[in-house]
Amino acid sequence: MTESKPENGPSELQLIKEQIARLYDDAEGRTARHLALIGFEQDFPPSGMMFPGGHESYQAYIEARLNFIDGNFIATILLTQACMENFLAGCIIMEELSRQIHGLLAETDTAMPKLPTLKWLLQRSHDWSILCDEDKLMLIQLSEIRNPLSLYRSMSDQTKLSRRSANEDISERELLEGDARLAISIVAKVIPKISNSFVEELLTNLGQMG
């Protein structure tokens, strides 16, 4: 689909120049964040890994990492949360299938709700050993980073960004960069740990049934 050019709008050449200029804006910061991201992803297998949760979890991570490099920190935080919720839901569905096949699904193991809450996803993932204690705590921390950005907070709330900025005497952007760095580092640590152990073991078990 070709977008129509608005009347009296900028020319394509002007837009191209603007995009090129943006690439050079904060080049030092972009490079530093890219290098940091490479460090966060050091446990990612070079041959690739599975992203349970479908295209949503994978694409959310891809967009989160690109936004982190570009300095779009709120987008990074919100996307990392979206990535993990879809990723965990996919893992739970796979584990439930495996338990059904092996006759290990208990009567108390209720089916996943159509709209599972984060609390439900974390608890079921922990109960079924998809997440260890440390991973669960890190993902709770991730949600605590996300919540003040996706849900309104008044100035009396200590988690509100502008309140934190005033209390800590740090700019909002610096706080957001630190939060985004922590958010994507958590996801980059948890995902390969699950994918490299739980998913591979699960696929092996399912393959033995073939």
Side-chain angles (χ1 to χ4, degrees):
M1 179 179 178
T2 303
E3 297 290 342
S4 59
K5 181 179 178 295
E7 293 185 12
N8 302 321
S11 66
E12 289 187 8
L13 180 58
Q14 287 175 308
L15 292 175
I16 291 172
K17 288 181 177 180
E18 182 179 322
Q19 292 171 39
I20 292 175
R22 184 171 175 274
L23 288 175
Y24 286 95
D25 183 41
D26 190 30
E28 185 176 344
R30 288 169 186 264
T31 302
R33 289 189 293 272
H34 200 163
L35 289 172
L37 187 60
I38 292 172
F40 298 152
E41 295 177 342
Q42 60 183 345
D43 293 330
F44 280 32
S47 58
M49 60 185 175
M50 178 176 287
F51 266 74
H55 184 73
E56 291 87 349
S57 64
Y58 173 77
Q59 190 64 31
Y61 184 75
I62 294 301
E63 293 186 16
R65 70 189 308 281
L66 291 175
N67 274 283
F68 177 68
I69 293 171
D70 283 346
N72 302 321
F73 301 128
I74 291 181
T76 301
I77 295 165
L78 299 181
L79 285 164
T80 52
Q81 184 69 41
C83 170
M84 284 312 312
E85 291 195 26
N86 282 282
F87 186 91
L88 291 178
C91 288
I92 291 169
I93 291 171
M94 294 174 67
E95 174 66 12
E96 183 175 7
L97 176 61
S98 176
R99 288 176 179 240
Q100 287 175 340
I101 291 173
H102 293 86
L104 299 175
L105 196 63
E107 292 184 2
T108 54
D109 291 332
T110 56
M112 184 165 66
K114 290 184 178 180
L115 296 173
T117 63
L118 175 61
K119 181 179 180 180
W120 190 94
L121 291 170
L122 291 176
Q123 190 59 53
R124 177 56 60 88
S125 297
H126 186 260
D127 290 344
W128 282 0
S129 300
I130 298 170
L131 293 174
C132 65
D133 292 344
E134 180 189 11
D135 294 339
K136 182 181 178 183
L137 289 174
M138 285 195 295
L139 293 181
I140 290 174
Q141 184 180 19
L142 174 60
S143 71
E144 291 172 347
I145 294 172
R146 183 280 310 267
N147 288 344
L149 299 175
S150 61
L151 303 170
Y152 174 74
R153 295 289 191 269
S154 69
M155 277 301 294
S156 62
D157 193 315
Q158 296 294 330
T159 65
K160 186 175 179 65
L161 182 63
S162 53
R163 181 67 182 269
R164 289 175 58 201
S165 175
N167 290 344
E168 301 176 35
D169 194 25
I170 301 175
S171 72
E172 284 93 342
R173 182 164 177 79
E174 288 178 284
L175 287 172
L176 283 173
E177 179 168 5
D179 289 347
R181 185 178 296 266
L182 178 58
I184 202 160
S185 69
I186 288 173
V187 175
K189 181 177 182 180
V190 173
I191 282 180
K193 185 189 296 186
I194 296 175
S195 187
N196 295 345
S197 56
F198 166 75
V199 173
E200 288 182 7
E201 180 180 349
L202 189 58
L203 291 176
T204 300
N205 292 338
L206 291 173
Q208 292 173 351
M209 301 300 297

